[in-house]
Amino acid sequence: MEKKNRRAQEEIAGSDEMEMLQQKIDLYSDMLYRIAFLQLRNNQDAEDVVQETFYQFIKGRKEFESAEHERAWLIKVTLNGCRKIWRSAWYRHREDMPEGELAEKADAGSMERNVLQKEQSREIMEAVVKLPRKYREVIHLFYYQQMSVRKIAQATERKESTVTSQLTRGREMLRKNLKEEYQYE
C-alpha cells in the first residue's frame, strides 16, 4: 500500500514538473528562438539551440533567485548554444539563408502592424542581421529583449564597457547602412 502512495505522489510531482516546464516553454521559447535565429540565420539551428536550452534547464534543475535571473540564465545558455554551433566545422562551411527568407522569418508574428511599419521593421531587421555577430548580438539583446548593459555583460560574459562600445559601434554601423540604403532609392 505504501508503494502505491509513493508512486502516486511521484506521478503527481512529475505532472506538476511537466506543467511548470510547459509554462516556461510557453513564456520563453519565442524570445529564445528569436535570439538564436538572429545569431544563426537558420530556422533548424535556432530550433535546435532552443530545444537544447530547455534540455539544460530540465537537466540542471537549477534554483533561480528571481524570474529575471531565470530569464538571464536561459538567454546565456541560448547564446552559448549559438557559439557552439558557430565553432563547428559544418557551420563555417555552409551558406547563409537568402535575405528575403531571413526577413520573413525574423518578422514573423507582426501581421497586425500596418504595411509601412512592417516594411520599416523588415528593413531595420535586415540591417541588424547584416551586422557582424558581436554587434548584432548586443543590439538584439538591448533593443529587442530590453536588457540592460549590465545584464547583457553578464549574459555574454563581457565587460560592461565592451558592451557599451559594441552598442555604440553597432548603432553607428546601422545608421550608416540605413542611410546608404535610403540615399539610393
Side-chain angles (χ1 to χ4, degrees):
M1 190 68 160
E2 192 173 307
K3 274 187 173 180
K4 287 183 181 180
N5 286 340
R6 189 175 16 207
R7 188 177 300 142
Q9 287 175 343
E10 288 174 1
E11 287 176 13
I12 291 170
S15 67
D16 287 345
E17 286 181 24
M18 289 301 292
E19 189 174 313
M20 184 272 304
L21 176 61
Q22 188 60 49
Q23 290 172 351
K24 301 297 182 188
I25 290 171
D26 293 342
L27 182 62
Y28 295 116
S29 62
D30 188 51
M31 173 192 64
L32 297 177
Y33 173 79
R34 287 179 183 273
I35 290 170
F37 184 82
L38 277 173
Q39 299 302 311
L40 300 171
R41 302 179 184 188
N42 182 292
N43 186 36
Q44 289 81 18
D45 289 342
E47 288 174 354
D48 288 346
V49 167
V50 172
Q51 187 174 20
E52 180 65 23
T53 298
F54 283 112
Y55 173 72
Q56 293 297 324
F57 181 78
I58 295 167
K59 189 174 116 181
R61 295 181 184 250
K62 189 171 170 69
E63 293 294 323
F64 297 100
E65 297 167 7
S66 65
E68 187 62 32
H69 180 232
E70 179 179 71
R71 180 176 180 257
W73 185 86
L74 288 166
I75 289 171
K76 185 174 186 173
V77 172
T78 300
L79 292 172
N80 288 342
C82 293
R83 287 186 192 105
K84 185 177 178 182
I85 289 176
W86 291 331
R87 288 189 301 262
S88 71
W90 175 86
Y91 187 81
R92 288 191 303 268
H93 294 97
R94 70 166 189 79
E95 291 183 26
D96 281 340
M97 182 183 294
E99 288 186 23
E101 189 177 338
L102 180 63
E104 288 173 19
K105 295 278 188 191
D107 202 31
S110 63
M111 296 296 186
E112 61 275 354
R113 293 183 186 150
N114 68 34
V115 176
L116 181 59
Q117 286 176 329
K118 199 172 197 178
E119 182 64 19
Q120 271 184 330
S121 178
R122 184 190 61 77
E123 289 170 357
I124 292 169
M125 184 63 72
E126 282 182 358
V128 169
V129 168
K130 289 178 185 176
L131 290 174
R133 186 176 300 133
K134 62 184 176 182
Y135 302 122
R136 182 174 64 230
E137 186 175 77
V138 295
I139 293 284
H140 177 77
L141 293 174
F142 188 79
Y143 288 104
Y144 292 92
Q145 299 304 320
Q146 285 94 33
M147 290 178 70
S148 68
V149 170
R150 175 175 285 155
K151 296 284 184 189
I152 295 170
Q154 290 171 348
T156 60
E157 298 177 344
R158 298 177 188 152
K159 293 180 181 177
E160 287 183 40
S161 59
T162 303
V163 171
T164 303
S165 297
Q166 290 173 342
L167 276 170
T168 303
R169 290 181 187 134
R171 287 180 194 125
E172 196 56 42
M173 293 170 104
L174 275 175
R175 190 175 297 118
K176 180 182 172 197
N177 292 344
L178 290 171
K179 191 180 225 181
E180 286 177 5
E181 190 172 312
Y182 286 111
Q183 281 181 344
Y184 295 109
E185 289 184 352

